[in-house]
Amino acid sequence: MKANKEKLMVHGTHNAEHDARNETVKIYVNGEFLPRSEAKISVFDSGYLIGDGIWEGIRLHKGKLAFIDDHMKRLWEASKSTGINLPWTKTELIELIYKTCKENDMHDEVHVRAMITRGIKKTPSQDPRLTISGPNLVIIAEHKKASNETKEKGVKLFTSTIRRGSPDYLDPKLNCHSKLHEVQALIQAIEAGADEALMLDINGFVCTCNATNFFTVKNNEVWTSTGQYCMNGITRAKVIEVCEKHGIKCRQKDFSLYDTYGADEAFVTGTFGGLTPVIKIDGKQIGNGKYGTMTKKLSELYNDLIEESIHG
């Protein structure tokens, strides 16, 4: 029993404090609210068969969905790119997300995953013409507060041999269900004793992590990748925005592992965890190996921006 409990206590950027309420949440599945244990979808679903689907992760903060317009814009761009025709308007989908939160009496510290697949297939196949239903929509809302321990302790990264790909075969900006290469990168990191994988682009420059975006701090300058080979993270964009707003120099540029190892601070960004400090990369301590001053400042400014967005 103890061993099983330890396996559940995963340290990483998606580490959340335990909340027993999640055991009884209702899941939205194609117009129905189903108990967690009964929320199922067909094995002929396109997402299950071939990873043919798109999704968004969204935070509910003090009763409001943070940066919801940005999330809907990205989702509709993904829909256009993949040819998945969405039968809802943005307003209708937002209302369904709020309805899911209301069904579960949720108000704050909530993470929502909205997943859309192409639909049910007539037979296992890649061919979209064999889809016999409209898109399937699943909305999972959970009480998820990012672990403060992870925030204070920081995370360790390992540089994977698996690269972020070129946009001419699977654009890294596409937030889709096909994440196997990122899972493989993460497995390498875990086997190396790290929490998350740092991934290079096709030219060998530092790019992003398997599930979060990556930043470094050197001499009070904030660096992140050019964005050509990484996911177009909403939190990444907001950190760049707060830097520009508050006169903090932020460079989107190519830089190497050499530059990264010598950084004063490093952190990763994501919708769930916000900003999470990085204390080691490939076994090398970053800066003083602690939650850095600039990372803390940017985290506070990012939280201020959330407050502004929900009251604006």
Side-chain angles (χ1 to χ4, degrees), residues 18-288:
H18 174 72
D19 196 316
R21 292 175 294 178
N22 288 327
E23 297 171 13
T24 57
V25 295
K26 297 286 184 68
I27 311 298
Y28 179 94
V29 182
N30 291 331
E32 294 184 274
F33 288 104
L34 302 173
R36 188 185 189 108
S37 60
E38 298 174 22
K40 298 177 176 65
I41 204 157
S42 171
V43 295
F44 286 94
D45 173 69
S46 298
Y48 177 77
L49 288 175
I50 52 171
D52 185 4
I54 54 179
W55 60 275
E56 282 293 320
I58 307 159
R59 293 290 291 177
L60 182 74
H61 182 76
K62 297 181 179 177
K64 296 288 184 67
L65 295 168
F67 310 126
I68 188 60
D69 290 340
D70 298 281
H71 284 287
M72 290 297 103
K73 180 177 182 292
R74 185 170 67 175
L75 185 65
W76 254 253
E77 287 175 350
S79 163
K80 184 76 171 180
S81 176
T82 55
I84 297 176
N85 296 317
L86 304 182
W88 318 275
T89 64
K90 292 177 183 177
T91 299
E92 288 169 340
L93 183 54
I94 291 170
E95 288 175 352
L96 288 174
I97 295 171
Y98 273 119
K99 189 176 180 181
T100 302
C101 294
K102 185 177 180 181
E103 181 74 18
N104 289 291
D105 193 25
M106 294 172 164
H107 308 282
D108 196 22
E109 300 289 2
V110 173
H111 187 260
V112 181
R113 175 71 70 95
M115 299 173 287
I116 300 167
T117 67
R118 195 174 302 276
I120 303 298
K121 286 286 179 59
K122 180 180 180 180
T123 186
S125 170
Q126 293 183 12
D127 194 333
R129 294 170 297 182
L130 294 175
T131 308
I132 58 175
S133 76
N136 285 317
L137 172 62
V138 174
I139 303 173
I140 300 174
E142 293 180 299
H143 300 278
K144 289 180 75 172
K145 182 179 181 180
S147 168
N148 191 58
E149 179 186 355
T150 297
K151 204 83 157 174
E152 292 300 324
K153 185 179 177 181
V155 294
K156 295 179 289 185
L157 305 181
F158 172 80
T159 305
S160 172
T161 60
I162 297 172
R163 303 290 182 93
R164 292 294 290 186
S166 170
D168 59 354
Y169 65 88
L170 181 60
D171 197 315
K173 294 189 292 293
L174 182 60
N175 211 20
C176 64
H177 283 205
S178 304
K179 296 288 185 182
L180 187 56
H181 68 299
E182 288 151 319
V183 173
Q184 288 177 295
L186 178 56
I187 288 171
Q188 281 189 333
I190 292 169
E191 290 176 343
D195 305 306
E196 193 161 320
L198 183 63
M199 301 179 74
L200 309 181
D201 66 23
I202 60 173
N203 299 306
F205 293 113
V206 173
C207 185
T208 187
C209 293
N210 60 279
T212 53
N213 287 117
F214 180 76
F215 289 77
T216 64
V217 180
K218 182 75 170 181
N219 297 327
N220 290 318
E221 285 188 2
V222 178
W223 291 6
T224 191
S225 70
T226 63
Q228 291 180 318
Y229 302 100
C230 72
M231 63 193 90
N232 54 342
I234 303 299
T235 310
R236 176 184 185 272
K238 298 305 176 184
V239 168
I240 294 170
E241 181 182 328
V242 298
C243 283
E244 293 173 348
K245 183 178 179 180
H246 294 276
I248 300 168
K249 189 169 287 186
C250 182
R251 299 184 183 274
Q252 298 178 63
K253 56 176 286 182
D254 288 330
F255 59 95
S256 68
L257 282 172
Y258 174 88
D259 301 312
T260 302
Y261 295 149
D264 299 324
E265 301 175 36
F267 60 91
V268 294
T269 62
T271 297
F272 170 65
L275 280 68
T276 304
V278 173
I279 58 166
K280 279 188 178 182
I281 300 175
D282 300 333
K284 296 173 175 62
Q285 180 175 295
I286 303 302
N288 62 10

